Amino acid sequence: MTPPGTPGESRSETLYSEALLQKRITVREMAGARGRGLSSGTRLKAILFPLLHWSFRHSPRWLALLPIQLPVALLRLLYGWKSNPLRRGCEAVSRIAAAHGHRHPPRQLYRRFLDNVTGVMKDYFQLYRHGVEAVSSHIELADDDARLIRDLAGTHGGVVLAVPHNIASAIAALRLNRSFPLVVVARNSPTIARTRIALDFFERMEVPVLMVRGGNPFELSRTLFSILREGRVIAATLDNIDNSSRRVAVEMFGQDIGLAPWAAKIAARMQLPVVPCWFRSDGRRIAIVMGEPLQSDDATALVQHYADFFERNILADPASWAYLVDKHWCRLLEQAADAWGTPDHQ
């Protein structure tokens, strides 16, 4: 372990966990990883997540949920603030969805989004206090869908599940893992403290995880190839906007968007099916929706396949998508809404 030094230096620590596929990970925390401004999202997460983690383990239910219920109550009052990022995301996606035959009044969508955040946090509390079974009963996965994934993995040696950043994406993994052998591929937090919390979370869910931030690309690819030769399923969140030279350009919401192709390239090289997945939230109730599998040696076609699936489900069920509040997606949604030129449906 490298102790923290003067401002501007980084520190590193090796963490050990039974949830880790390789049982340990060295996390290097760079200067500024906890955010630089008190109001920055990174800083807020650095404060809120450890507080929730402690509360879930040590406080009674009414007190444990206060760190999320108070900010949610404040956000409900802040709907009138026109620059509110969540309000802007709701208004933009509402306009786009209206052009495709869906009706999501922005104010109602805003309330549903916050209800879903509160619901999944209640499930996290249940997980910490009562274990996996107490939460699994709230997560629905059709038997036919579970059987399909098992059959695909058995036939092809593995499956890639393409997952968006839904509010319930992480906790739904415990239900998936009880239906087929799952490995979650996750980009761990840039901070040591939040990575430790995430590992505790995966341990309690009993879900194996491969954390990839800062890892050697060659070693990570070799590990993934090995996993996918064992009849296992990897699940990875693949809706981050990518503006690097490695991106694949796809069309979403009538716009050209760059998405990372790494998972699609592995699937194309190994001739494995890619199955897009959606997690529909309704408060504490979660339904897992599987898309059609696609097998192809064309990585771009695979990325467009799950991008199309994400788009359809975002427009039908935007309150389940955590990236409604993401500044990069919000800006893109506003551009798309302006291009469609449809009115708000208040």
Side-chain angles (χ1 to χ4, degrees), residues 52-64:
L52 280 169
H53 185 239
W54 187 91
S55 297
F56 285 172
R57 290 177 297 151
H58 302 295
S59 301
R61 186 177 188 275
W62 69 270
L63 183 59

Side-chain angles (χ1 to χ4, degrees), residues 287-298:
I288 302 173
V289 180
M290 294 290 181
E292 293 294 322
L294 179 64
Q295 185 179 356
S296 173
D297 58 6
D298 183 347

Side-chain angles (χ1 to χ4, degrees), residues 37-217:
L38 289 176
S39 62
S40 73
T42 301
R43 172 64 70 179
L44 292 174
K45 287 186 284 188
I47 296 170
L48 181 60
F49 288 177
L51 179 59
L52 280 169
H53 185 239
W54 187 91
S55 297
F56 285 172
R57 290 177 297 151
H58 302 295
S59 301
R61 186 177 188 275
W62 69 270
L63 183 59
L65 292 170
L66 277 182
I68 192 64
Q69 289 177 331
L70 290 177
V72 165
L74 177 61
L75 283 170
R76 292 186 192 279
L77 295 175
L78 287 176
Y79 182 81
W81 175 35
K82 291 186 178 181
S83 297
N84 180 334
L86 178 56
R87 172 176 168 167
R88 288 172 53 200
C90 290
E91 289 177 337
V93 81
S94 175
R95 292 166 61 193
I96 303 167
H100 291 79
H102 301 283
R103 186 177 183 275
H104 303 296
R107 186 183 294 272
Q108 183 183 87
L109 175 56
Y110 187 95
R111 289 197 300 265
R112 285 190 56 223
F113 182 96
L114 295 176
D115 287 345
N116 289 338
V117 170
T118 303
V120 82
M121 287 299 171
K122 289 178 180 178
D123 275 338
Y124 288 148
F125 177 83
Q126 287 290 100
L127 174 68
Y128 271 82
R129 292 304 175 89
H130 305 291
V132 171
E133 294 300 333
V135 179
S136 184
S137 62
H138 297 150
I139 306 173
E140 301 171 5
L141 174 63
D143 291 340
D144 288 347
D145 286 339
R147 189 178 306 112
L148 170 66
I149 302 300
R150 288 195 298 269
D151 290 346
L152 289 171
T155 300
H156 299 282
V159 173
V160 175
L161 277 187
V163 176
H165 281 80
N166 281 25
I167 293 169
S169 290
I171 202 160
L174 65 84
R175 179 69 176 84
L176 295 174
N177 192 51
R178 288 177 167 260
S179 302
F180 41 78
L182 182 74
V183 175
V184 171
V185 180
R187 192 166 182 258
N188 52 292
S189 166
T191 72
I192 294 168
R194 284 173 51 201
T195 299
R196 188 181 287 113
I197 291 170
L199 289 174
D200 184 51
F201 172 62
F202 280 106
E203 285 179 4
R204 291 172 187 271
M205 289 202 305
E206 303 171 6
V207 173
V209 59
L210 177 65
M211 290 189 167
V212 299
R213 181 187 289 272
N216 181 292

Side-chain angles (χ1 to χ4, degrees), residues 1-2 12-16 23-28 192 196:
M1 174 179 174
T2 303
S12 63
E13 184 174 340
T14 299
L15 306 179
Y16 298 85
K23 304 308 176 188
R24 68 177 186 175
I25 183 174
T26 299
V27 182
R28 186 181 182 190
I192 294 168
R196 188 181 287 113

